[in-house]
Amino acid sequence: MADCIFCKIISGEIPSNKVYEDENIYAFRDIEPQAPVHVVVVPKEHIESANDITAENSGIVASIFEKIPQIAKELGVSESGYRIVNNCGKDAGQTVKHLHFHILGGTEGGKLY
Ligand code: AMP
Ligand code: ZN
C-alpha cells in the first residue's frame, strides 16, 4: 500500500526501532510510547483493520499471537505482565489503517477497564 506508514516501515522506507521480524511479522517500538514498554506488532501483509480479518488471512493473526510470548520475553515483561491492544476504526482511535497489536508493559498494575 503506497500511502501506508506501516508498509513503509516494513519495507525500510521509513526507519524504525525493530524488535522482531520474520517472514510474516514485523515488530517495532512505538514512536510515542504510552507505557514504559510499548511495541507495535504488525503483519507484513497490508490488512486494514480487525474488520478485515478473514478465513483467508487469519493465519497471520494467529502467527502474531504465537510470537507475542517470545517478543514479550525479549522485552522483559513476560513475568511482570502486559496488555495486548488493538484499536479498530474511528471510535477506537485507530490512527494507522494497517492492522496492528500494541504490547504495553511496565505499567505496574495499570488496568484500564
Ligand atoms: P493506533 O492509534 O492504534 O492506530 O496506533 C498507531 C500507533 O502507531 C500509535 O501509537 C503511533 O504512535 C504509532 N506510530 C505512528 N507512526 C509511527 C512510526 N513512524 N514509528 C513508530 N510508531 C509509529
Ligand atoms: Zn500497510
Side-chain angles (χ1 to χ4, degrees):
M1 279 287 281
D3 270 345
C4 174
I5 292 173
F6 287 174
C7 283
K8 287 180 179 170
I9 285 177
I10 293 160
S11 71
E13 195 180 329
I14 293 176
S16 65
N17 193 340
K18 181 171 82 174
V19 299
Y20 178 80
E21 181 176 16
D22 65 28
E23 59 181 339
N24 296 316
I25 296 168
Y26 196 90
F28 53 96
R29 302 269 178 186
D30 197 290
I31 204 166
E32 286 182 41
Q34 303 299 311
V37 172
H38 187 171
V39 161
V40 178
V41 189
V42 306
K44 286 188 172 176
E45 178 184 344
H46 182 90
I47 299 168
E48 187 164 318
S49 78
N51 277 339
D52 301 294
I53 298 170
T54 65
E56 282 68 41
N57 64 24
S58 62
I60 200 162
V61 179
S63 66
I64 286 175
F65 276 81
E66 283 171 25
K67 283 294 168 197
I68 281 176
Q70 179 189 326
I71 295 168
K73 197 167 190 177
E74 285 165 9
L75 294 170
V77 297
S78 194
E79 296 302 318
S80 52
Y82 54 95
R83 282 185 285 135
I84 304 166
V85 173
N86 169 256
N87 296 318
C88 177
K90 179 172 65 67
D91 284 359
Q94 181 180 2
T95 56
V96 180
K97 290 180 178 167
H98 180 130
L99 179 68
H100 54 281
F101 297 90
H102 300 262
I103 298 177
L104 298 150
T107 45
E108 298 183 9
K111 192 170 180 182
L112 292 184
Y113 71 94

